[in-house]
């Protein structure tokens, strides 16, 4: 409060300064002479134009490290990162489908699969491997290398180049004052402002989803800007061939390149517009490869750019020879850029910006969170981050990091491809872990909060699975597993569905359950939205394909001979023992079969035999819940967990979070018919707690990344342990977040500017926070009561707050607020569509261990009701 007051004081000193729509506004531009009368030294507080709510990141210096300091904008199709330069701004450009490798590099690329001729050998090898595992004295074998294949031209997500925009003044940066750069998360724009010799400059950058284009504007308080040059360059992107940059016309430059040689072709077109239109705009070819646009005599200047590749997500099936090759992007890009009004005027720019902001806000949906946070606008974001401590926390920075996660998803998901390991932001030609789609935690974590925070961003995720995994995954099922229905994948882009040969291959590659985990997202999307049309056309076919494969892959357990069905061989993701009945796989498959049963009636599918087979195998399948010798929840069916295993993944706790096999454990359903012992739910939860606590805090020598901590935080929240939850949550930021709040793969180290950015913890963080406030896990059957647990792990640092517009499974919207550490009011609105589709749950609202409300659904078609009460 005190700090906010000081801000108000500060504003009142600059005469005409006003607070408007929650922003600090500046008076209209006037001549440079008048500017000096209301100097606002930015070093004393957030810059003019920064959201008063504090919903943004701001800095007093330009960024130097890309991964720690630059700031991102994106529209799903394109990404851009800028340091916030003054005389020169170097904006790094990304195009979502720009990949080296794959069929564009090697026509014989086949997704890392075996050849058809190897099929029968593989089938025999698989049989022998299974037998070896069943008969092995300790239930493990050393390798399964014969099943894996050299990754071949796997390739990498690649940066596309830079936009270099230069104000032709002295470049020594002298006489620059009042510098600030910031990301405004109310509007999704990036801004830099500074003064040079009393003239104030302002640069605004954003990427619009509706336009599939990015825009950058420069203005000043002078009547005329210095000359500006604009060029594209690939020189600074390591590993990228040098692009040809040419003039398309007086005000348009075009970059054409291939990502590798040979490799995928791509193009970026930039068009400059100025005010007044009498200013000079001239594109000059400089040799054959370095066209530059020079602007002189302008008061305002804009560059708009669009970019695309020849990748076509619809050409990844057998009909297209798995080529993924589409048409040259040139005419599509011309159409996009011609769609933008030209020349741009101040008014059209404002309307394009408003259109962008509206689209951005609509992606965020009606959800909002308040922690009653009290932003300290006198401190820049990096200063706030530097002062952040484990356990002590800071509700403002946590709120900001929550919003930043949602911001990043709006910037990376709503294109043609889903958010990858770095969202859509990558710096080099070859990026860490290829900047790919690791589907053993990372891709999943990217979307953990999307449904509950009511974001409509999953289309590209499901398209990606349907169009790039399923087609070649059917081939993999056949040649590697001798299974002729459904599909499987072990990883990643261009339909790379095979097992990738690497050191200790199984640990990395033997993960045929990646799609099973992803099917949680497919079920959830239907469960949250009741979108029956989507379920029939995309969700159900995906789930049926994956379930079909696993029906055939399960085998009778010939080690324990307990009449159960198990996976064999299996690994926990990235854990070495190759064994049978891995808890992770068994829990996921059981949850998948539940989804099939719950969703069948809405699928329009008449294949009753399939449903019967799923029901039958679901009864037989080992449920992956075994309590071991030291009270742990076993990671493998053979009791061999080590109490000192602090592995980064929590694979066997998948049913605790994000799944429900552990957290909603029901002995009546999950006890095997011939089980030697039965567990109560409390015993299972206590075993999960033992395992979680032995797993450590996510900083062991095998990995010290942010996502490990965010996952642990979510699990502790699930167990209702607010102290451990908050410990891990705060540790996530303190240990792994950079000054720009990007999550870093290693502990943040300001002396190493090349640290790896990996986006998953940016997305896991909001999910973990949410799980401390609302839990409403999926249920095993459609008649099971849906529980909604409120404030299960509320830390003492968030005594008061509210959530509006949370989406709950089954078509429910929930608003709540809490005060002084206690639930205050809750409003539950049931969507009229629920009854219409016969998805009839009884809903129980639980607070502080008690059922405080039971709501019977269905409602009559078209009726919606509101329940309000005090808790
Ligand atoms: C491969 O699958 C076919 C069809 O199910 C089966 O007849 C054959 O025995 C399998 N081969 C091996 C080696 O398991
Ligand atoms: C299991 O036994 C095999 C062969 O005896 C041995 O090589 C392997 O290290 C053992 N694995 C474990 C996890 O103990
Ligand atoms: C910096 O400002 C001073 C005083 O206004 C002026 O004399 C000088 O020429 C400026 N330097 C540059 C490089 O513009
Ligand atoms: C292209 O232009 C930029 C900016 O003027 C310059 O730095 C670079 O050296 C030029 N490259 C070539 C190949 O001419
Ligand atoms: C600005 O650009 C114009 C047109 O290219 C040129 O004539 C003029 O010399 C430039 N001014 C400066 C200060 O570089
Ligand atoms: C399990 O049953 C199979 C088939 O009946 C048998 O070959 C095997 O020896 C049994 N294993 C054990 C450990 O009893
Ligand atoms: C229980 O075990 C017996 C003996 O192994 C077996 O015959 C029976 O089918 C099993 N029951 C179920 C439901 O699996
Ligand atoms: C599906 O519909 C059938 C027939 O109406 C009904 O008997 C069954 O209980 C429904 N199943 C589920 C899972 O809702
Ligand atoms: C994390 O765990 C390590 C190893 O047990 C310990 O040294 C460290 O103090 C812990 N840090 C936090 C913040 O929990």
């Amino acid at each position: 409060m005190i700090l906010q007051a000081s801000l108000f004081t500060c504003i009142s000193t600059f005469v005409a300064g006003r607070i408007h729509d929650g922003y600090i506004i500046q008076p209209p531009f006037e001549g440079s002479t008048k500017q000096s009368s209301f100097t606002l030294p930015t070093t004393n507080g957030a810059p003019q134009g920064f959201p008063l709510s504090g919903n943004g990141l701001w800095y007093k210096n330009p960024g130097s490290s890309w991964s720690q300091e630059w700031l991102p904008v994106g529209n799903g199709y394109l990404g851009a990162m800028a340091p916030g330069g003054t005389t020169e701004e170097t904006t790094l450009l990304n195009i979502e489908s720009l990949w080296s490798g794959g069929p564009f590099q090697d026509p014989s690329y086949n997704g890392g699969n075996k050849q058809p001729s190897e099929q029968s050998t593989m089938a025999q090898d698989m049989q022998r491997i299974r037998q070896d595992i069943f008969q092995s004295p300790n239930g493990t074998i050393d390798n399964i290398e014969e099943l894996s294949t050299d990754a071949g031209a796997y390739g990498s997500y690649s940066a596309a180049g830079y936009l270099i925009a230069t104000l032709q003044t002295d470049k020594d940066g002298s006489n620059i004052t009042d510098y600030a750069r910031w990301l405004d998360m109310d509007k999704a724009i990036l801004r830099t402002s500074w003064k040079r010799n009393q003239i104030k400059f302002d640069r605004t950058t954003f990427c619009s989803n509706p336009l599939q284009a990015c825009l950058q504007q420069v203005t000043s308080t002078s009547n005329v800007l210095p000359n500006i040059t604009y060029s594209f360059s690939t020189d600074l992107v390591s590993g990228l061939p040098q692009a040809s940059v040419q003039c398309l016309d007086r005000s348009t430059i075009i970059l054409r390149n291939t990502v590798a040689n040979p490799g995928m072709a791509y193009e970026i077109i930039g068009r400059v517009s100025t005010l007044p239109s009498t200013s000079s705009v001239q594109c000059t070819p400089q040799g054959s490869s370095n066209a530059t646009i020079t602007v002189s005599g302008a008061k305002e200047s804009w560059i708009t750019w669009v970019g695309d590749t020849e990748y076509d997500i619809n050409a990844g099936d057998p009909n297209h020879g798995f080529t993924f090759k589409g048409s040259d992007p040139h005419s599509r890009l011309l159409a996009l850029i011609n769609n933008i009004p030209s020349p741009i005027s101040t008014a059209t720019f404002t309307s394009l910006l408003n259109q962008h902001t509206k689209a951005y806000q609509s992606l965020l949906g009606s959800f909002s969170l308040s922690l009653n946070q009290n932003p300290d606008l006198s401190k820049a974001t990096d200063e706030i981050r530097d002062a952040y401590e484990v356990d002590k926390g800071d509700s403002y920075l946590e709120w900001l990091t929550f919003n930043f996660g949602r911001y990043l998803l709006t910037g990376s998901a709503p294109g043609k491809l889903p958010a990858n390991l770095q969202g859509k932001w990558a710096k080099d030609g070859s990026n860490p872990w290829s900047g790919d789609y690791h589907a053993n935690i990372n891709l999943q974590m990217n979307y953990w909060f999307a449904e509950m925070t009511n974001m409509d961003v999953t289309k590209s995720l499901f398209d990606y699975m349907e169009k790039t995994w399923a087609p070649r995954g059917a081939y993999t099922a056949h040649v590697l597993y001798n299974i002729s229905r459904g599909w499987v994948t072990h990883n990643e882009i261009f339909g790379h569905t095979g097992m990738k040969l690497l050191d200790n291959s199984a640990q990395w590659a033997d993960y045929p359950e990646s799609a099973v985990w992803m099917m949680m997202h497919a079920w959830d999307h239907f469960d949250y939205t009741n979108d029956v049309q989507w379920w029939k056309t995309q969700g159900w076919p995906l789930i049926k394909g994956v379930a079909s494969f696993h029906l055939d892959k399960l085998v009778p357990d010939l080690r324990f001979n307990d009449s159960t069905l198990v996976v064999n061989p299996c690994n926990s993701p990235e854990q070495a023992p190759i064994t049978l009945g891995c808890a992770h796989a068994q829990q996921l498959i059981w949850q998948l079969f539940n989804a099939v049963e719950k969703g069948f009636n809405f699928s329009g599918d008449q294949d009753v035999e399939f449903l019967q087979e799923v029901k039958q195998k679901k009864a037989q399948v080992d449920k992956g819940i075994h309590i071991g010798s030291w009270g742990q929840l076993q990671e493998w069916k053979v009791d061999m967990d080590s109490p000192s295993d602090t592995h980064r993944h929590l694979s066997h706790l998948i049913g605790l979070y994000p799944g429900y096999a552990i957290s909603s454990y029901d002995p009546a359903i999950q006890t095997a018919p011939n089980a030697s012992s039965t567990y109560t739910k409390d015993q299972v939860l206590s075993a999960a707690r033992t395992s979680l606590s032995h797993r450590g805090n996510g900083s062991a020598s095998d990995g010290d990344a942010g996502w490990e901590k965010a996952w642990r935080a979510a699990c502790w929240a699930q167990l209702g342990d607010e102290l451990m939850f908050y410990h891990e949550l705060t540790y996530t930021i303190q240990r792994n977040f950079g000054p720009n709040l990007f999550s870093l793969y290693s502990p943040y180290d300001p002396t190493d500017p090349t640290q790896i950015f990996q986006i998953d913890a940016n997305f896991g963080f909001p999910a973990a926070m949410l799980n401390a406030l609302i839990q409403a896990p999926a249920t095993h059957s459609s008649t099971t009561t849906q529980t909604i647990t409120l404030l299960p792990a509320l830390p003492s640092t968030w005594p008061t707050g509210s959530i509006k517009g949370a989406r709950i499974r089954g078509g429910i919207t929930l608003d709540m607020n809490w005060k002084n550490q206690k639930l205050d009011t809750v409003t539950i609105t049931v969507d009229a569509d629920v009854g219409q589709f016969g998805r009839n749950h009884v809903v129980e609202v639980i607070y502080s261990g008690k059922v405080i409300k039971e709501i019977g659904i269905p409602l009559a078609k078209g009726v919606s009701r509101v329940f309000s009460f005090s808790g």
Side-chain angles (χ1 to χ4, degrees):
M1 275 311 162
I2 290 162
L3 293 157
Q4 265 190 337
S6 72
L7 178 85
F8 278 81
T9 314
C10 176
I11 288 167
S12 63
T13 60
F14 70 98
V15 199
R18 276 161 292 229
I19 296 162
H20 176 70
D21 287 347
Y23 286 84
I24 305 168
I25 57 165
Q26 58 195 47
F29 292 141
E30 292 171 61
S32 57
T33 46
K34 287 192 178 171
Q35 284 290 310
S36 55
S37 62
F38 49 85
T39 301
L40 176 72
T42 52
T43 46
N44 285 352
Q48 294 172 23
F50 189 77
L52 261 185
S53 63
N55 191 23
L57 318 181
W58 74 276
Y59 304 87
K60 295 173 182 171
N61 295 295
S64 94
S65 159
W66 176 86
S67 61
Q68 299 168 353
E69 292 167 359
W70 290 29
L71 293 172
V73 287
N75 60 15
Y77 306 97
L78 302 172
M81 294 262 293
T86 52
T87 51
E88 179 171 284
E89 179 71 317
T90 51
T91 307
L92 180 59
L93 310 180
N94 289 112
I95 304 172
E96 62 170 341
S97 56
L98 191 62
W99 270 79
S100 59
F104 293 85
Q105 187 182 328
D106 175 5
S108 71
Y109 180 82
N110 77 342
N113 278 292
K114 301 289 179 189
Q115 298 302 320
S117 58
E118 296 173 277
Q119 200 243 351
S120 70
T121 315
M122 285 303 111
Q124 285 156 22
D125 283 0
M126 193 70 82
Q127 276 199 345
R128 188 186 43 71
I129 285 169
R130 287 185 173 140
Q131 211 167 32
D132 287 352
I133 290 174
F134 281 136
Q135 289 171 1
S136 153
N138 57 19
T140 76
I141 58 168
D142 288 338
N143 75 69
I144 50 164
E145 253 162 46
E146 60 266 49
L147 302 180
S148 55
T149 312
D150 187 283
Y154 186 75
S156 174
Y157 183 54
S158 172
Y162 283 85
L163 163 67
I164 299 169
T166 310
L167 289 162
Q168 300 292 333
T169 56
D170 55 298
K171 290 197 186 164
D172 62 1
S174 61
N175 291 5
I176 287 178
T177 59
D178 302 297
Y179 175 88
R181 66 185 172 105
W182 68 101
L183 174 65
D184 174 339
M185 293 200 291
D186 283 349
K187 294 183 174 170
I189 57 176
L190 203 55
R191 293 187 59 186
T192 308
S193 71
W194 68 95
K195 278 188 182 173
R196 196 179 156 275
N197 296 335
Q198 305 308 319
I199 296 172
K200 183 169 188 293
F201 292 86
D202 243 293
R203 187 185 295 106
T204 300
T205 308
F206 66 91
C207 291
S208 154
N209 182 275
L211 296 176
Q212 295 184 36
C214 302
L215 283 84
Q216 189 172 87
Q217 177 200 44
V218 183
T219 63
S220 82
T221 50
S222 158
N223 285 326
V224 55
L225 287 162
N227 283 6
I228 308 172
T229 58
Y230 292 103
S231 60
F232 289 134
S233 169
T234 52
D235 294 354
L236 297 167
V237 181
S238 79
L240 198 59
Q242 191 166 55
S244 148
V245 181
Q246 317 243 345
C247 299
L248 197 62
D249 59 43
R250 182 180 67 80
S251 60
T252 312
I253 40 173
I254 174 168
L255 175 154
R256 278 179 75 84
N257 202 10
T258 57
V259 66
N261 209 347
M264 185 191 288
Y266 72 100
E267 182 174 299
I268 300 172
I269 300 180
R271 178 168 289 166
V272 171
S273 222
T274 56
L275 188 79
S277 51
T278 50
S279 45
S280 145
V281 178
Q282 224 27 270
C283 187
T284 325
Q286 296 182 347
S288 63
S289 69
N290 208 359
T292 301
I293 293 177
T294 304
V295 170
S296 66
K299 179 162 167 48
E300 296 183 45
S301 179
W302 296 272
I303 182 162
T304 306
W305 71 93
V306 293
D308 202 355
T309 71
E310 59 178 332
Y311 175 84
D312 181 0
I313 195 172
N314 293 309
D317 58 15
N319 292 339
H320 296 82
F322 300 104
T323 59
F324 291 100
K325 194 170 163 78
S327 57
D328 188 289
H330 183 67
S331 53
R332 288 196 299 282
L333 291 177
L334 273 183
L336 281 178
I337 204 137
N338 288 336
N339 185 36
I340 296 165
S342 182
I344 293 179
S345 64
T346 312
T348 50
F349 178 75
T350 305
S351 95
L352 296 177
L353 179 56
N354 289 343
Q355 176 200 38
H356 156 67
T357 296
K358 232 172 128 181
Y360 161 68
Q361 288 168 348
S362 114
L363 283 169
L364 290 178
S366 52
F367 178 93
S368 69
L369 166 74
S370 162
L371 298 178
N372 207 25
Q373 66 284 341
N374 185 11
D376 179 354
L377 297 181
S378 75
K379 288 204 177 70
T381 307
D382 48 347
E383 296 167 335
I384 293 175
R385 185 256 172 271
D386 277 352
Y388 190 80
E389 289 174 34
V390 175
D391 295 326
K392 185 161 171 269
D394 171 351
S395 59
Y396 170 53
L397 189 61
E398 288 141 15
W399 175 81
L400 201 56
T401 307
F402 183 95
N403 291 352
F404 188 52
R406 299 187 79 221
Y407 168 81
L408 290 172
L409 200 59
T410 66
S412 55
K416 292 178 197 153
L417 287 166
N420 66 37
L421 274 184
Q422 300 194 178
K424 294 278 165 72
W425 298 279
K427 187 166 77 63
D428 297 315
S430 186
N431 289 290
W433 298 282
S434 299
D436 68 12
Y437 292 96
H438 269 56
N440 67 16
I441 174 65
N442 318 86
L443 179 59
Q444 287 88 350
M445 187 177 275
N446 285 3
Y447 289 87
W448 276 355
F449 63 78
E451 299 291 352
M452 194 181 270
T453 71
N454 206 350
M455 291 176 72
D456 186 14
V457 291
T458 47
K459 184 179 187 308
S460 57
L461 179 66
F462 297 120
D463 285 349
Y464 175 71
M465 293 189 255
E466 177 193 326
K467 295 173 182 198
T468 83
W469 278 356
R472 181 118 59 185
Y475 172 82
T476 309
H478 180 64
V479 293
L480 193 57
Y481 293 92
N482 193 28
I483 289 174
S484 56
R485 56 176 176 164
W487 56 275
V488 62
T489 185
H490 304 83
N491 250 329
E492 305 139 326
I493 201 151
F494 289 134
H496 187 289
T497 50
M499 282 195 204
K500 195 161 44 166
L501 184 66
L502 263 177
D503 311 336
N504 192 348
S505 217
Q507 191 177 338
W508 310 112
D510 182 19
Y511 188 50
E513 291 82 23
S514 52
V516 186
W517 190 346
M518 290 311 306
M519 289 308 106
M520 277 176 59
H521 294 252
W523 169 256
D524 284 356
H525 187 62
F526 177 51
D527 206 15
Y528 276 91
T529 61
N530 288 320
D531 186 344
V532 172
Q533 199 46 40
W534 175 81
W535 179 245
K536 284 183 173 164
T537 52
Q538 191 170 39
W540 174 260
L542 282 169
I543 281 194
K544 189 180 187 187
V546 178
S548 300
F549 171 81
H550 288 277
L551 283 174
D552 283 356
K553 185 169 162 292
L554 287 167
V555 292
D557 185 339
L558 298 183
R559 181 186 171 88
F560 291 92
N561 281 346
D562 58 359
S563 312
T564 63
L565 296 172
V566 291
V567 290
N568 175 7
C570 68
N571 284 82
S572 266
E574 305 185 16
Q575 278 261 53
I578 302 161
T579 181
L580 73 147
C582 298
H584 177 81
Q586 303 292 147
Q587 292 173 25
L588 281 176
I589 290 169
W590 180 69
Q591 292 190 174
L592 172 64
F593 288 170
N594 288 336
V596 167
E597 207 177 320
K598 287 183 284 185
F600 183 80
N601 279 2
F602 310 100
S603 68
D605 193 336
Q606 303 299 316
D607 189 353
V608 179
E609 246 171 73
F610 169 69
L611 178 65
Q612 284 315 319
E613 193 182 351
V614 166
K615 283 183 176 175
Q616 185 211 333
K617 293 202 168 169
K618 194 182 97 173
Q620 284 178 284
V621 74
D622 183 290
K623 309 297 185 288
I625 310 276
H626 300 278
I627 299 178
S629 56
W630 46 277
Q632 86 279 19
L633 194 101
Q634 285 176 220
E635 184 150 9
W636 303 281
K637 193 165 180 178
V638 178
D639 184 357
M640 58 178 167
D641 306 70
S642 157
S644 56
D645 179 359
T646 51
H647 194 271
R648 54 197 178 276
H649 287 246
L650 304 174
S651 302
H652 52 319
L653 302 183
I654 185 89
L656 182 62
Y657 185 90
Y660 61 90
I662 297 171
S663 52
S664 307
Y665 185 79
D666 183 345
I669 297 161
Q670 286 165 275
T671 307
N674 281 343
S676 50
S677 52
T678 60
Y679 310 125
T680 63
K681 183 176 176 183
D682 282 351
Q683 285 172 324
V684 168
L685 288 175
S686 151
R689 189 187 173 94
T690 299
S691 290
L692 180 61
S693 126
H694 278 258
R695 210 60 162 211
N697 61 24
S699 67
S701 56
D702 69 352
D704 195 348
W707 63 261
E708 305 167 50
K709 301 172 182 78
W711 194 359
R712 281 159 174 78
C715 284
W716 283 115
Q718 192 65 45
L719 292 169
D721 188 326
E722 72 273 6
L723 289 179
M724 284 305 294
F725 155 71
Y726 198 60
H727 180 74
E728 285 289 334
L729 189 84
T730 53
Y731 195 28
T732 312
I733 292 186
Q734 190 272 336
R735 186 87 167 161
N736 292 99
F737 280 47
N740 60 358
L741 302 189
F742 261 10
S743 94
L744 302 167
Y745 188 75
S746 310
Y748 168 53
D749 176 0
T751 68
D752 176 8
T754 66
Q755 281 195 288
I756 292 170
F757 160 51
Q758 194 176 296
I759 205 165
D760 35 28
N762 281 112
F763 296 140
F765 187 93
M769 278 180 70
L770 210 51
N771 207 42
L773 301 172
I774 304 175
Q775 291 170 3
T779 58
H780 65 80
S781 87
S782 44
T783 51
T784 314
T785 298
Q786 173 70 59
T787 60
I788 306 175
T789 307
L790 301 178
L791 306 179
L794 186 68
S796 61
T797 46
W798 307 340
T800 299
S802 65
I803 280 183
K804 285 199 174 48
R807 184 160 65 178
I808 309 289
R809 295 167 192 281
I812 293 168
T813 300
L814 187 145
D815 301 334
M816 69 165 168
N817 56 59
W818 65 95
K819 278 184 193 148
N820 304 323
Q821 219 65 39
K822 286 203 167 63
L823 186 62
D824 187 39
T825 60
V826 184
T827 304
I828 286 176
T829 309
V830 179
D831 192 300
D833 286 349
V834 175
Q836 189 179 349
F837 297 116
R839 290 178 20 83
N840 309 335
H841 273 287
V842 171
V843 174
E844 272 180 7
V845 182
I846 297 170
Y847 172 65
S848 193
K850 293 193 200 82
V851 175
I852 55 171
K853 190 84 185 175
E854 190 175 291
I855 303 163
I857 296 173
L859 300 170
K861 182 175 171 180
V863 176
S864 109
R865 274 192 238 153
V866 179
F867 303 86
S868 284
F869 49 88
S870 284

